[in-house]
Amino acid sequence: GFKHPEMAPRPDDQLSSTTIINRPPQQIQQFPYAYQTNFMMPPAAHAVQPFSPTNIISSPSVATFNHPDMPLSSPAFNGKTPNSFGDVLESAPSNSFNNRMPSAADDSKNEEKIFPGNKENDPSATSIAELTNRVEQIVNSAESREAASRESSRAYGENNGSVTLEVVHGGPLTSTELSQISLFCNSAGDGNGSGVRSSSEIVNKSSTMIDLKNKNMVGNWAKLDGDLLASLTPMLQEHVVSAVAVDLVGEGRDVISKYMEASSHLIENGGPAISIHQWMMQVARYSGPNSAPLGSLGGAKVEPGAGYRRLQILCSGLQSAYILFSIMASPGIDRRAVEDDTIEACVNLIKNHIQKHIIPSLSNTGHLGVASSTSSSKPPQDQDDEYLHPEMMSPMSKKTPMPRRSTPNRNDVAKSLKAVYGPILSTIGLFGTILESAETFIITNEMDDRLLFTVCAASLSSLTIDSSTAVRADTASLASLVQVSAMNLAVAIFRRYPRHRSIITEDLFPLMLKLPTSKRSLRTYLVRKSHGSTEMTNIKHSPYANTSGHEYIQPITALLLLSIQTCVTMPFQSDEDITEEGNADGGAEGSGSDSNQFDGEENKNSKANDTSGLDACAAVCNQFTSQMLQRCSRKGEEGGASEFRPILHNLIDDLLFVRQLPEYPSAEMILFYLSQRLGHDLLRASSMSKSSAQQMEATYLATAMDALGKITSAVASGLLLNRESRFQLPESMSPGQFDPKEEVNRCFCGRGNLDTFMLDCDRCHSWYHGSCVGITKDTVPEVWLCDDCILQTVILEQAKVFARGNGNSRPLTTSDHNHVLRQLLLSHLSKKSHTFLSPQAERAREFWIATWVKELTLSKNISNDVGTFDLRLVRSHVIAQWPYSRLQEHRNSLSKYLSTDGYQRIMTCLVASTELSQNFPRLLGVLLRLVGDGMASIRKLSLKAILQVVNVDPALMAQPSVRKEVSRCFHDEAISVREAAVSLVGDYVLQTPNLATAFHATLLERILDRGVSVRKRIVKIFRDILLTNPAYAGRATACHAMLQRAADRKEDDGVRDLIHETFHILWFNSKAFTMGTSTLELLELSNSTPGRKASQDGTKAELYCLEASKQMVEVVKVSGSPEILTSLVKGLLFGFNEGDKDKKVAERKRRQEDARNQCSSLVSSVIELLLAFEENREQNEDDGKELVALLSTLSVFSEAYPELLVPHIDTLVPYLKGDNSAKKYEPSIVSTVSIVVSHVSSHFSRAELNRLMAGELSTDLVNIAYKFPDRAVSAAVEALCALTNHPEASQGSIQEKKLLKLSIQFYSYLLKTKDTCADLMKAKKSVRDNVRRALSALGSVCRFYECDDAIDRQNLDFNNFGIISDVSKLEFAKNSLSNACFAIFMEYLQKEDEATKVLALRAMNGIFISRPRVVLAAEQMGIIS
């Protein structure tokens, strides 16, 4: 049968010689490696079977330990990381293996054994005498057992096989007795004794791990007899001292090592090797040649169950430490109970348990004490299996030799140590109560400095925990519990002992170097829980959040914030008190102020700190910031400078995040001091000479500039947010008549009118979602007001109380509004502090009061007339709220509370009025001043810092001082500075496209910059602008400038490739419309296109393609020629001849394929633009330029991809008639269309060719040759030749006949005119024009007409070239016309005027191109020399 394991032996117990203890079936399943036989336990061993330690008992009778490969049960935290041990109590299941205390029923059963006379078994007895009686019985029972043990030792000698309580429990008391005393500790704190009561004590009461049903006990340790306590405390101290010597992780590591080293062989001195699980078993015994009662071997042998007994000693010591702290912290306790040795033992236990047990268990680092092994062999048998004595082995197992391992493998040790980690982690709940009781003891008692530093260092070391999920899944939650309690203890020391604040602050820096750096373990301190999607997110620099949306910061940041906030003291009643009282608390704190930093204004600020009670806080901030930046500024790797710089970066991120949270107002003070010192260091580096400036670490300059830019940008963000989300507050004391115009949805979530429960404000009749304001259908109040209406009514009410003089017409300023907002925030923190028992909220409330008083002091010094409120009356009102009693009164008088969003907006308003925010112009001025520094590196860094600020608030670029400095940097001598300036302006124009034109010329100028990086940045900026805003006003000039750079042969290949890629993305990428332009914007752009109406039929891709085609047309219009665009399009379609690398072959092929697919849509879009232009044409001369641009864009595609123009040829042919109402641009129009026809003609089918020839196409081309200048004539003749050379054209076709007739007429005119005048410049203009037209036409005919029998097979004799006077003999065959034209060209080459000579040579060039052998003949004739 089962006996309660912690039962002490009683006279009436009738125990047999052996007691058979059977494990329950579920436990056998849980321990597959356990003995499968009954255990024979001698009566003595059973008699002293100890009570299972607190928090590791799953039932009163059986203790179960989980297998390391099986998940350990843990408290269900419901997805949240608890910040107090009360959360563990609240969420832990009743049958949980971990964190379970003995139930009241268990205790009552145990109590019957100890106090047989007490039949009612009421542990909550109200009589001090009864409490004294119980404690006396426990002390007497312990003394009796100790006496009996000594008597037994004298009678039977030392080796009688019995086990004393000291071996099992580490002291004279049993676990049951310790548990009973622990129950008394809870009642001892509820007495009416005198002493200091703090908010942390309230938290301790609410989060204690003891049965709270006994909280009505009125016993008090101070009321017990001093002699009784003097007898009890040494017994408890003995348990604590024994627990200090326990090192479960180290001892378990030795057990594992011996087991692995022993392999299959027996240990040399005789005993068998046991596994770690046998060592940790509660009830275990092996039988063999060396069998002996449990515990009788002492430390000579490693026995099964020895680890469990060591765990019992540890748990008993922890319970004893908790009891001792509770006794010593009781107000009015007899000083004999508070001895230095006792305190030192408790402190050492805290230190050892954190460093030897908690940290290795949570971080999974206990195996690091084992020498690393290169062997990868497995142990001889799974260490989870039971060791079998050789006599019990099977014959097969005896024959198989086991390999021996020389050195244990660390991975195997780490895996095995999980059997030790689990029980250790189960003590965290109890350990938390020890830390909380130690906190109370430190607050109420004076401690020795040495012990203070020991416990403080031990507490701070908990921040180095890097929780490992390899141990168990909830190690992060457990680590957070330990860290929160340890931080509270350290903060209590920081508050209680001002003389040690400087030393503790110094100790933070070595600790920072040991903090975990992994993303998972970096930020684990919970600062804000998620309230759903409706919560307002105003913070740009948000830290990492977990999957549930909770937000965290680094524990070291939280410790710093709480430490500073705990230094605040009650403000003076008046400004004059500071001169009389002096600085009572700050003299010994901090490291002193930097005399080089503070001027007259800083002295005023320092005096305001003294008056308001913030002097100690300022001293700590000053010391921390100066020491932090000093370590970051060290040269090279000296003093861990490279490690401190990322720490500074993470610290600033955390501070900027919690800056918007009311619970951490000290973040603003730290940021203010950091910004002041960073600016001072940067200005000092700037003022140095170049040789001296090099002495300052360049990496630190970059870190400091980035940090200052980050802080300045956060301040700018807060100011901008305040302007955008400002409350609608009354501007005067007159209430007026409030008449809402309409009922609208003004819910701050921005979700619109959903099908959900909504509330109507009874004053302004605005509607809000119930889930957003925290009200359900069942909790709707009779009258409900929104946040704005509450503030308006409260401000008017408070104005009547605090206003100076009478009258409702007095104006209310922003300062008056802030007074009321601060009061509402104090009421919110008061409610949170005393509803949720939050000491952090209490310290934050006191800090806000001191900050309010400081602002009132500074406001009085600045002006005697600040707002309508009487500042003296407000000051008295604020200071009166410091005590809790007056605070409760004010809470009742101002009981209107806002929503979560309302308090967030209040914080936004108040943060915008803080000292740091008011210092924003100075911060920005420092950055602007550094822009003009003599060092290029500082100028570059300062521009990057300004970029951070402008990205947050682009409106700052409109300030003249900012624009002046940035514009000056565009012409800086350093390329890096110019690039930084370009990046700054580029980001600015991207965020404010409407103002991009203001910097267009400046950016366009930099595309010619000699710096490759600058030109690349300009290209990227214009690309992003055009992607986000296709209708950008400067798009044509920007694209033209980029195309010119790409066409420049001297341009860098990287820049050229980037330009090609840019235009591919802008114009030839089918996915470009997804990169930044919304459908709505495209629809608006399409509506702006003449003749086009946006319809739902047009897809987003078509709309974007239309905008791309408009851009191309504008580029052609600006450049005046399609040549550059033609080169780009042909390169994108078929590849560029230069500028691309071999490694980009695959990319080029993909780009070409994408461009070919997009060209069809582009051509259709240009045709659509052409039709729209004709529909809305106003028939003026400027229209001709637009028409030429449209046609030239089509000519680009006709040359690059001519088959795409075939379906649209009928749209273009009418323009060849030369009657387009654009006299100035007619030649360009007809020549452009002629070029299109010549390029497209080869893709005409026979039917298409015959249809066009049956029309007036050939006639129109001939007419162009007769009427227009030589450029148009050449294009028309080329088109006519292309139609004549078509493969499907028949011999003697219409176009061929007209071409021959045209050639004969021009030849005849030249023949007639050649002898009329030697200098054609003296001839009539009509003659000169006709000669020019004739030379151009005949040269084009000779160049473009193809004749199969006209190929020169051999070198030509120049005597064959002669003028044919009979024009009827002219024909295309056998080069008859070509030879005659060459001869006539030679005649005109002899003219005296150079213009005619040039025209003759140009005409000859047509023959040279078509007949290369003629060049040789011309050389022989002396034409080419």
Side-chain angles (χ1 to χ4, degrees):
F2 287 97
K3 294 286 186 180
H4 201 289
E6 75 271 21
M7 281 178 52
R10 290 171 48 196
D12 54 348
D13 283 340
Q14 301 296 331
L15 297 177
S16 60
S17 58
T18 59
T19 303
I20 300 177
I21 301 180
N22 297 317
R23 291 183 178 270
Q26 63 270 22
Q27 191 173 0
I28 295 176
Q29 296 174 4
Q30 190 173 4
F31 292 89
Y33 50 84
Y35 290 106
Q36 300 299 321
T37 58
N38 295 336
F39 294 95
M40 306 302 293
M41 302 292 294
H46 172 70
V48 296
Q49 193 62 236
F51 175 67
S52 299
T54 305
N55 292 337
I56 60 169
I57 299 299
S58 60
S59 70
S61 57
V62 178
T64 59
F65 284 89
N66 296 44
H67 190 279
D69 297 330
M70 299 173 61
L72 288 168
S73 57
S74 60
F77 293 118
N78 299 324
K80 70 176 183 178
T81 302
N83 268 356
S84 69
F85 288 92
D87 295 341
V88 183
L89 252 186
E90 210 172 297
S91 56
S94 59
N95 59 348
S96 173
F97 169 76
N98 300 290
N99 297 316
R100 181 190 182 276
M101 295 297 297
S103 64
D106 299 336
D107 293 327
S108 62
K109 292 178 181 179
N110 300 335
E111 212 172 314
E112 292 180 3
K113 307 297 188 296
I114 302 178
F115 308 112
N118 184 12
K119 301 300 181 182
E120 296 180 355
N121 298 320
D122 182 10
S124 59
T126 59
S127 171
I128 296 297
E130 185 176 359
L131 176 61
T132 303
N133 182 43
R134 292 183 179 182
V135 175
E136 187 176 358
Q137 291 184 36
I138 292 175
V139 172
N140 292 337
S141 178
E143 291 176 348
S144 299
R145 287 195 300 271
E146 187 175 2
S149 177
R150 287 196 299 268
E151 186 70 22
S152 176
S153 298
R154 286 194 298 268
Y156 300 100
E158 294 292 337
N159 300 320
N160 61 342
S162 64
V163 183
T164 63
L165 281 175
E166 285 73 7
V167 174
V168 180
H169 298 283
L173 302 178
T174 65
S175 296
T176 302
E177 294 168 344
L178 290 174
S179 299
Q180 290 295 318
I181 301 175
S182 297
L183 295 178
F184 304 155
C185 295
N186 185 49
S187 62
D190 291 336
N192 298 324
S194 61
V196 179
R197 308 248 349 140
S198 66
S199 58
S200 59
E201 291 179 72
I202 300 175
V203 176
N204 290 344
K205 291 197 303 178
S206 63
S207 61
T208 182
M209 299 301 295
I210 306 175
D211 190 357
L212 297 183
K213 295 180 181 180
N214 300 323
K215 66 181 180 180
N216 294 324
M217 297 179 65
V218 297
N220 192 308
W221 289 111
K223 297 181 181 179
L224 265 68
D225 181 65
D227 295 334
L228 184 59
L229 286 177
S231 301
L232 177 63
T233 51
M235 297 181 180
L236 297 172
Q237 180 181 348
E238 186 176 347
H239 283 277
V240 174
V241 172
S242 299
V244 170
V246 175
D247 182 8
L248 271 183
V249 175
E251 296 170 10
R253 185 171 58 237
D254 293 340
V255 170
I256 297 169
S257 300
K258 291 180 180 179
Y259 176 77
M260 293 180 176
E261 292 171 359
S263 185
S264 61
H265 301 275
L266 294 177
I267 299 178
E268 295 179 359
N269 10 357
I274 64 170
S275 68
I276 186 64
H277 300 292
Q278 294 172 328
W279 189 67
M280 289 297 298
M281 293 177 67
Q282 175 186 1
V283 181
R285 177 178 179 276
Y286 59 80
S287 59
N290 296 319
S291 61
L294 291 179
S296 61
L297 300 181
K301 302 290 183 180
V302 179
E303 302 177 348
Y308 181 77
R309 290 194 296 276
R310 299 291 285 172
L311 177 64
Q312 287 178 312
I313 294 174
L314 176 63
C315 293
S316 299
L318 292 174
Q319 274 192 322
S320 300
Y322 169 62
I323 297 170
L324 285 171
F325 274 127
S326 301
I327 293 174
M328 294 185 294
S330 299
I333 196 70
D334 192 332
R335 300 310 301 174
R336 289 181 296 173
V338 187
E339 296 182 357
D340 292 341
D341 293 342
T342 303
I343 300 173
E344 182 175 3
C346 295
V347 168
N348 289 334
L349 180 58
I350 292 176
K351 173 186 174 182
N352 287 4
H353 194 54
I354 289 179
Q355 297 179 351
K356 294 183 178 180
H357 295 144
I358 299 295
I359 295 178
S361 298
L362 291 173
S363 304
N364 192 21
T365 56
H367 61 283
L368 298 181
V370 178
S372 60
S373 172
T374 58
S375 173
S376 59
S377 61
K378 299 292 182 181
Q381 82 183 66
D382 191 349
Q383 64 184 36
D384 293 346
D385 294 337
E386 191 86 17
Y387 170 77
L388 296 179
H389 193 270
E391 297 178 359
M392 302 171 61
M393 291 183 181
S394 63
M396 183 64 65
S397 61
K398 288 184 179 181
K399 296 179 182 179
T400 305
M402 296 295 183
R404 178 181 295 274
R405 168 179 293 186
S406 59
T407 306
N409 185 276
R410 279 188 175 181
N411 294 332
D412 296 335
V413 175
K415 180 180 178 181
S416 301
L417 277 177
K418 294 178 184 179
V420 180
Y421 294 157
I424 290 176
L425 295 183
S426 66
T427 66
I428 286 181
L430 175 61
F431 187 65
T433 61
I434 295 175
L435 296 179
E436 291 171 350
S437 58
E439 177 187 352
T440 306
F441 170 75
I442 289 173
I443 293 175
T444 56
N445 293 272
E446 188 76 19
M447 282 184 64
D448 180 68
D449 291 348
R450 180 179 60 83
L451 297 179
L452 275 176
F453 290 135
T454 300
V455 70
C456 185
S459 300
L460 295 178
S461 66
S462 65
L463 302 185
T464 63
I465 296 175
D466 188 0
S467 57
S468 171
T469 55
V471 179
R472 51 191 279 182
D474 61 343
T475 50
S477 300
L478 295 176
S480 178
L481 289 172
V482 175
Q483 289 173 348
V484 168
S485 291
M487 287 165 54
N488 291 337
L489 180 59
V491 170
I493 297 174
F494 204 81
R495 181 180 179 88
R496 178 69 172 79
Y497 298 94
R499 65 181 183 275
H500 297 320
R501 290 174 183 171
S502 177
I503 299 176
I504 296 175
T505 304
E506 287 284 346
D507 291 342
L508 293 180
F509 296 103
L511 177 67
M512 290 178 180
L513 301 177
K514 303 176 183 178
L515 296 178
T517 56
S518 63
K519 183 178 179 181
R520 177 179 53 83
S521 302
L522 181 63
R523 291 179 169 92
T524 58
Y525 188 86
L526 178 65
V527 292
R528 184 165 62 177
K529 297 181 180 179
S530 174
H531 296 285
S533 60
T534 61
E535 184 173 352
M536 191 174 181
T537 305
N538 300 329
I539 301 161
K540 300 291 184 183
H541 307 276
S542 177
Y544 302 111
N546 66 355
T547 55
S548 61
H550 303 328
E551 292 164 311
Y552 298 82
I553 61 174
Q554 299 176 101
I556 189 67
T557 306
L559 175 64
L560 178 63
L561 293 169
L562 297 177
S563 299
I564 293 175
Q565 288 173 191
T566 198
C567 296
V568 67
T569 56
M570 184 174 179
F572 290 93
Q573 291 294 335
S574 64
D575 297 345
E576 291 76 12
D577 291 345
I578 184 64
T579 59
E580 301 175 3
E581 299 291 341
N583 188 359
D585 298 324
E589 302 165 11
S591 61
S593 61
D594 187 353
S595 58
N596 295 327
Q597 179 183 4
F598 296 102
D599 52 10
E601 182 179 349
E602 295 297 338
N603 291 332
K604 294 180 181 179
N605 187 44
S606 178
K607 182 177 180 181
N609 286 333
D610 296 340
T611 309
S612 60
L614 292 174
D615 53 337
C617 304
V620 175
C621 281
N622 188 27
Q623 179 194 0
F624 176 81
T625 54
S626 62
Q627 294 294 325
M628 185 69 184
L629 296 184
Q630 180 182 352
R631 284 168 168 80
C632 292
S633 62
R634 292 172 179 170
K635 296 181 180 179
E637 301 297 327
E638 179 185 353
S642 59
E643 288 85 3
F644 277 110
R645 289 165 192 157
I647 292 174
L648 176 64
H649 171 81
N650 292 327
L651 175 66
I652 292 177
D653 282 346
D654 290 342
L655 295 175
L656 292 177
F657 173 71
V658 299
R659 179 172 177 252
Q660 296 282 353
L661 302 181
E663 293 84 2
Y664 305 96
S666 58
E668 195 80 9
M669 177 179 284
I670 303 174
L671 289 171
F672 176 76
Y673 276 88
L674 271 175
S675 62
Q676 293 288 91
R677 291 192 174 275
L678 288 170
H680 177 264
D681 288 350
L682 291 172
L683 291 176
R684 182 165 56 88
S686 174
S687 62
M688 293 179 180
S689 62
K690 189 171 183 180
S691 59
S692 299
Q694 292 176 353
Q695 297 177 1
M696 182 168 285
E697 183 68 29
T699 310
Y700 171 67
L701 288 178
T703 302
M705 193 71 74
D706 179 71
L708 185 61
K710 188 179 296 184
I711 295 174
T712 308
S713 64
V715 175
S717 174
L719 294 173
L720 176 63
L721 187 63
N722 180 48
R723 294 195 298 268
E724 294 176 347
S725 62
R726 189 182 297 275
F727 285 109
Q728 298 178 0
L729 303 178
E731 298 180 356
S732 67
M733 294 179 58
S734 176
Q737 296 294 329
F738 187 81
D739 186 16
K741 296 181 180 180
E742 58 179 347
E743 296 187 9
V744 295
N745 181 355
R746 291 182 55 208
C747 189
F748 43 81
C749 67
R751 292 182 295 168
N753 297 322
L754 305 176
D755 186 15
T756 184
F757 170 66
M758 300 186 70
L759 284 88
D760 172 47
C761 176
D762 292 318
R763 184 171 179 268
C764 67
H765 296 288
S766 299
W767 289 86
Y768 295 83
H769 301 116
S771 59
C772 296
V773 296
I775 297 178
T776 62
K777 292 182 180 181
D778 300 330
T779 59
V780 178
E782 282 189 30
V783 178
W784 182 81
L785 301 180
C786 64
D787 294 336
D788 289 277
C789 291
I790 290 177
L791 282 175
Q792 291 177 18
T793 56
V794 170
I795 287 176
L796 293 176
E797 292 173 1
Q798 297 297 304
K800 296 177 182 179
V801 178
F802 294 104
R804 292 173 294 180
N806 299 321
N808 292 333
S809 61
R810 296 180 64 87
L812 294 175
T813 64
T814 303
S815 178
D816 297 329
H817 296 159
N818 288 341
H819 292 321
V820 180
L821 295 180
R822 283 190 177 89
Q823 182 57 64
L824 285 170
L825 184 63
L826 289 181
S827 301
H828 168 66
L829 290 173
S830 169
K831 176 183 177 182
K832 187 172 183 178
S833 173
H834 298 282
T835 301
F836 302 102
L837 301 175
S838 172
Q840 290 85 356
E842 177 67 17
R843 297 287 84 77
R845 184 189 67 83
E846 295 174 352
F847 198 94
W848 277 109
I849 291 175
T851 305
W852 194 354
V853 172
K854 177 183 178 180
E855 182 177 336
L856 291 171
T857 304
L858 293 176
S859 300
K860 179 181 177 182
N861 294 334
I862 295 173
S863 173
N864 292 326
D865 187 15
V866 182
T868 301
F869 283 24
D870 187 342
L871 297 186
R872 290 185 177 273
L873 187 59
V874 173
R875 181 187 179 95
S876 301
H877 166 77
V878 174
I879 298 177
Q881 298 183 65
W882 188 275
Y884 171 74
S885 58
R886 296 297 303 274
L887 172 66
Q888 185 66 31
E889 179 182 340
H890 287 294
R891 284 182 58 215
N892 295 335
S893 64
L894 194 63
S895 58
K896 297 178 180 178
Y897 297 102
L898 306 178
S899 64
T900 303
D901 175 74
Y903 287 114
Q904 186 65 54
R905 292 169 66 188
I906 285 180
M907 277 299 301
T908 301
C909 293
L910 295 180
V911 166
S913 63
T914 58
E915 190 175 7
L916 178 62
S917 297
Q918 293 174 356
N919 201 42
F920 174 72
R922 180 177 297 179
L923 296 176
L924 185 60
V926 170
L927 296 178
L928 292 176
R929 178 178 173 182
L930 294 172
V931 170
D933 185 75
M935 293 180 60
S937 59
I938 293 183
R939 297 198 301 272
K940 174 186 175 182
L941 293 172
S942 60
L943 280 173
K944 290 186 176 181
I946 294 176
L947 175 60
Q948 297 183 53
V949 183
V950 173
N951 283 338
V952 171
D953 188 4
L956 291 173
M957 280 295 292
Q959 294 186 8
S961 58
V962 178
R963 295 187 64 172
K964 176 182 177 182
E965 293 295 333
V966 174
S967 299
R968 187 181 58 79
C969 291
F970 272 86
H971 304 280
D972 195 276
E973 60 181 7
I975 295 177
S976 60
V977 177
R978 297 199 301 272
E979 182 184 1
V982 167
S983 301
L984 171 60
V985 175
D987 287 355
Y988 166 66
V989 298
L990 286 176
Q991 294 189 47
T992 55
N994 296 332
L995 301 178
T997 53
F999 291 92
H1000 176 76
T1002 308
L1003 291 174
L1004 200 61
E1005 179 185 1
R1006 288 300 97 200
I1007 203 170
L1008 300 175
D1009 194 279
R1010 60 187 177 89
V1012 174
S1013 60
V1014 178
R1015 298 200 298 273
K1016 285 184 177 181
R1017 189 71 184 97
I1018 289 292
V1019 173
K1020 292 178 181 179
I1021 290 172
F1022 281 128
R1023 178 191 63 191
D1024 296 338
I1025 291 176
L1026 293 175
L1027 282 175
T1028 55
N1029 183 21
Y1032 173 56
R1035 60 185 180 180
T1037 55
C1039 292
H1040 175 63
M1042 289 189 289
L1043 287 174
Q1044 282 186 321
R1045 295 308 305 168
D1048 190 348
R1049 294 180 178 273
K1050 296 181 179 180
E1051 183 56 85
D1052 179 77
D1053 289 346
V1055 178
R1056 185 182 293 110
D1057 290 344
L1058 180 61
I1059 294 175
H1060 292 162
E1061 181 183 359
T1062 296
F1063 282 105
H1064 172 262
I1065 294 174
L1066 291 176
W1067 293 345
F1068 297 96
N1069 186 2
S1070 58
K1071 303 296 183 181
F1073 61 87
T1074 63
M1075 296 184 181
T1077 306
S1078 65
T1079 305
L1080 180 59
E1081 292 172 343
L1082 290 171
L1083 289 173
E1084 291 175 353
L1085 293 173
S1086 64
N1087 285 330
S1088 64
T1089 303
R1092 176 182 174 86
K1093 294 182 180 180
S1095 63
Q1096 298 300 326
D1097 297 335
T1099 64
K1100 189 175 180 180
E1102 293 173 349
L1103 295 175
Y1104 190 89
C1105 190
L1106 183 64
E1107 285 302 314
S1109 62
K1110 290 174 65 176
Q1111 292 178 12
M1112 299 176 74
V1113 171
E1114 291 177 1
V1115 169
V1116 174
K1117 186 176 180 180
V1118 170
S1119 62
S1121 172
E1123 293 179 1
I1124 299 179
L1125 183 60
T1126 301
S1127 174
L1128 173 72
V1129 175
K1130 292 176 68 175
L1132 291 176
L1133 290 175
F1134 307 107
F1136 296 93
N1137 294 329
E1138 58 183 3
D1140 283 348
K1141 307 295 188 300
D1142 293 338
K1143 63 181 180 181
K1144 296 184 178 180
V1145 172
E1147 181 181 350
R1148 289 203 307 270
K1149 290 182 178 179
R1150 177 191 58 79
R1151 194 165 59 190
Q1152 293 168 13
E1153 182 67 24
D1154 202 5
R1156 285 192 287 269
N1157 295 334
Q1158 190 72 2
C1159 276
S1160 177
S1161 301
L1162 288 172
V1163 170
S1164 300
S1165 298
V1166 177
I1167 293 294
E1168 186 177 353
L1169 291 174
L1170 179 62
L1171 297 176
F1173 167 78
E1174 293 293 345
E1175 291 177 4
N1176 298 274
R1177 190 174 180 182
E1178 298 179 358
Q1179 302 297 329
N1180 53 40
E1181 291 187 2
D1182 292 337
D1183 289 345
K1185 188 175 183 179
E1186 183 69 21
L1187 180 58
V1188 172
L1190 287 167
L1191 295 174
S1192 298
T1193 305
L1194 290 174
S1195 70
V1196 171
F1197 290 99
S1198 70
E1199 184 176 354
Y1201 211 156
E1203 55 264 34
L1204 297 179
L1205 273 297
V1206 173
H1208 308 289
I1209 195 64
D1210 290 334
T1211 306
L1212 302 177
V1213 167
Y1215 290 100
L1216 294 174
K1217 294 186 177 298
D1219 186 15
N1220 300 302
S1221 301
K1223 295 181 180 180
K1224 183 179 178 181
Y1225 299 99
E1226 285 293 351
S1228 298
I1229 293 173
V1230 295
S1231 63
T1232 302
V1233 177
S1234 298
I1235 292 173
V1236 173
V1237 172
S1238 63
H1239 291 158
V1240 177
S1241 61
S1242 61
H1243 296 275
F1244 290 158
S1245 63
R1246 174 180 294 182
E1248 184 72 16
L1249 179 65
N1250 294 335
R1251 183 182 66 81
L1252 291 174
M1253 292 300 99
E1256 300 180 352
L1257 175 59
S1258 58
T1259 304
D1260 293 339
L1261 293 173
V1262 171
N1263 292 336
I1264 292 172
Y1266 288 141
K1267 296 180 181 179
F1268 290 92
D1270 53 341
R1271 182 174 180 274
V1273 171
S1274 178
V1277 172
E1278 180 184 356
L1280 192 58
C1281 291
L1283 293 171
T1284 304
N1285 297 330
H1286 195 280
E1288 300 294 338
S1290 59
Q1291 188 73 22
S1293 61
I1294 297 174
Q1295 58 269 32
E1296 184 178 357
K1297 292 178 180 180
K1298 289 188 177 183
L1299 179 62
L1300 181 60
K1301 181 181 179 180
L1302 176 69
S1303 302
I1304 292 174
Q1305 287 181 350
F1306 280 123
Y1307 180 85
S1308 300
Y1309 183 81
L1310 291 176
L1311 182 63
K1312 181 178 67 174
T1313 313
K1314 70 182 180 65
D1315 298 326
T1316 58
C1317 182
D1319 188 357
L1320 290 180
M1321 295 302 295
K1322 299 178 181 179
K1324 296 180 181 180
K1325 182 179 183 301
S1326 59
V1327 175
R1328 293 197 306 269
D1329 292 342
N1330 288 334
V1331 170
R1332 180 181 294 108
R1333 187 179 297 109
L1335 289 174
S1336 178
L1338 289 177
S1340 297
V1341 171
C1342 294
R1343 175 181 178 181
F1344 295 109
Y1345 182 77
E1346 298 176 0
C1347 184
D1348 293 337
D1349 59 352
I1351 300 176
D1352 298 322
R1353 302 296 181 181
Q1354 57 187 358
N1355 293 336
L1356 301 176
D1357 186 359
F1358 60 87
N1359 295 321
N1360 295 335
F1361 298 104
I1363 297 176
I1364 301 177
S1365 301
D1366 187 2
V1367 295
S1368 60
K1369 297 181 179 179
L1370 292 175
E1371 59 180 353
F1372 291 124
K1374 299 180 180 180
N1375 292 326
S1376 174
L1377 178 63
S1378 177
N1379 292 335
C1381 288
F1382 185 80
I1384 201 71
F1385 295 158
M1386 290 178 61
E1387 291 292 331
Y1388 278 88
L1389 187 61
Q1390 305 303 320
K1391 298 296 181 180
E1392 295 179 1
D1393 59 295
E1394 294 183 357
T1396 304
K1397 291 182 178 181
V1398 170
L1399 291 173
L1401 283 173
R1402 190 173 295 166
M1404 283 185 179
N1405 188 52
I1407 300 177
F1408 294 158
I1409 293 175
S1410 61
R1411 301 171 62 192
R1413 292 182 182 272
V1414 178
V1415 178
L1416 300 177
E1419 186 177 6
Q1420 295 175 6
M1421 297 169 64
I1423 298 175
I1424 301 176
S1425 61

